Amino acid sequence: MNRLLIPAICCAFLGAPTVAQDLRALARIDMSNSAITDTAEGTEVSLALTQAVPYRVFALDNPKRIVVEFREVIFEPVLTPLDQSDRITKLAGGASRPGWSRLELTLDAPMRVTSAGLETDQNDGDAVVRLILKPTSTEEFATAAGTVETRPSTEPVLSDDGELVVALDPGHGGVDPGAQRDGHNEADLMLQFARELKEALLRGGADDVVMTREDDSFVSLPARVSIARAGRADLFISLHADALAEGRATGTTIYTLSDEASDKASALLAERQDRQDILAGVDLRAQDDQIATVLMDLARLETEPRTELFASELVAGLRNRLGKLHKRPRLKAGFSVLKAPDIPSVLIELGFMSSASDLDNLMDPVWRAQAAEGIVDAVNAWSVEEAAQRDRVGQ
């Protein structure tokens, strides 16, 4: 069987999920081709799926469990045919939270996941998730599980009106197709991913998602920021997949505005005719450039650490879901679209179209879904920290 190996996804668990009322299962576990068996070195888990779906693996303590979560998978009512292991004392499966299912393996002794991967049959779409578990010490298991449990469990909340609003900016569009390769262009790929990410964000807890463009149309860089501001966005995420002539850059990168560009950005923004659009609620049209620049610098002083926190959460979330990122996943540059002083803004280079492997990833719906979930994780973790920071300031 011709199979494509997709790397494992491991992530931090953000608290106990709510059982879904209406699980829209798109795939199911094929019990006849699945098994959990002991070997001389550990335990092997083989879960056959009727189609490939995003998944993640993590550990929980008290009791010791290995958990596999799937996007929209339905389980058989009886899981006993799977249980052929003396090291697994209990199996439990079912809906966990809206759009997700989970399989819990309760262990009789601490074990760690040493290998995990998803193999997809390119002919019929069937897939197999394979895990290898090996014994570990109680201390090592507790450390790993403890890291999981200490992640925030609060639902994402933000903004003065209690809503979390994210602006998504699919790069390029219309007369500007962006990077091009093998009949694909950056504008179309980013619009497709933005639509998928919007759905993931809404399912993951965001109250609203603002799109700077909904179709293949040209939107100027200043207009993109204005659209985000008009939508009262708490975060601005610009999505790109550039190309380099040498074709050596690969992997996902998160950009924030560089210090050098920040000063120039303040000056350029101050020259804009409609300054009321720059600082919401402050009419600067009667003020000179120096006053406008000072006010925008003050706004940026408050926004910059929030932006840096979000960028760090993005690196963690995407690395947990995708594994390997760009060799330098955090960079700074003077992108014009990042120059809003009042909205934490990042630019994500999902990959480089000049890289064949990156282009394959961008074309792969499973990879895109995993990337989207990594961004959702980052948005939620950031919003929880934002809420905690506001509480500390309020006290």
Side-chain angles (χ1 to χ4, degrees), residues 212-290:
T212 60
R213 66 181 180 96
E214 300 275 2
D215 52 25
D216 185 25
S217 57
F218 176 80
V219 181
S220 69
L221 296 178
R224 293 170 188 263
V225 177
S226 296
I227 291 170
R229 186 173 291 110
R232 301 177 59 83
D234 299 292
L235 285 171
F236 180 89
I237 304 174
S238 192
L239 301 168
H240 289 260
D242 215 328
L244 298 179
E246 61 271 21
R248 288 181 291 183
T250 63
T252 302
T253 309
I254 292 88
Y255 284 91
T256 55
L257 190 67
S258 68
D259 292 336
E260 295 78 11
S262 294
D263 293 337
K264 184 178 180 181
S266 296
L268 292 174
L269 287 169
E271 293 173 2
R272 288 186 52 171
Q273 184 175 3
D274 187 3
R275 296 180 186 153
Q276 190 173 20
D277 183 55
I278 298 299
L279 290 176
V282 180
D283 188 353
L284 302 179
R285 286 172 294 184
Q287 307 298 331
D288 60 25
D289 287 349
Q290 185 176 2

Side-chain angles (χ1 to χ4, degrees), residues 266-345:
S266 296
L268 292 174
L269 287 169
E271 293 173 2
R272 288 186 52 171
Q273 184 175 3
D274 187 3
R275 296 180 186 153
Q276 190 173 20
D277 183 55
I278 298 299
L279 290 176
V282 180
D283 188 353
L284 302 179
R285 286 172 294 184
Q287 307 298 331
D288 60 25
D289 287 349
Q290 185 176 2
I291 294 176
T293 301
V294 168
L295 288 174
M296 285 185 285
D297 284 345
L298 289 173
R300 192 168 279 113
L301 282 175
E302 189 270 340
T303 303
E304 185 175 1
R306 299 166 62 210
T307 300
E308 294 300 313
L309 172 63
F310 181 47
S312 297
E313 293 289 358
L314 280 169
V315 171
L318 286 166
R319 181 172 280 144
N320 282 336
R321 300 292 187 152
L322 299 176
K324 185 178 179 181
L325 304 180
H326 187 273
K327 62 182 179 180
R328 294 179 61 197
R330 281 279 284 105
L331 295 173
K332 292 176 176 288
F335 291 107
S336 295
V337 79
L338 299 181
K339 294 177 180 178
D342 53 333
I343 306 175
S345 304

Side-chain angles (χ1 to χ4, degrees), residues 313-383:
E313 293 289 358
L314 280 169
V315 171
L318 286 166
R319 181 172 280 144
N320 282 336
R321 300 292 187 152
L322 299 176
K324 185 178 179 181
L325 304 180
H326 187 273
K327 62 182 179 180
R328 294 179 61 197
R330 281 279 284 105
L331 295 173
K332 292 176 176 288
F335 291 107
S336 295
V337 79
L338 299 181
K339 294 177 180 178
D342 53 333
I343 306 175
S345 304
V346 299
L347 185 147
I348 302 177
E349 288 278 1
L350 284 171
F352 293 88
M353 292 183 66
S354 46
S355 163
S357 60
D358 281 9
L359 182 57
D360 287 343
N361 285 339
L362 294 170
M363 299 294 294
D364 181 0
V366 174
W367 187 94
R368 293 198 307 269
Q370 293 165 357
E373 289 301 323
I375 296 172
V376 171
D377 290 344
V379 169
N380 288 348
W382 177 85
S383 69

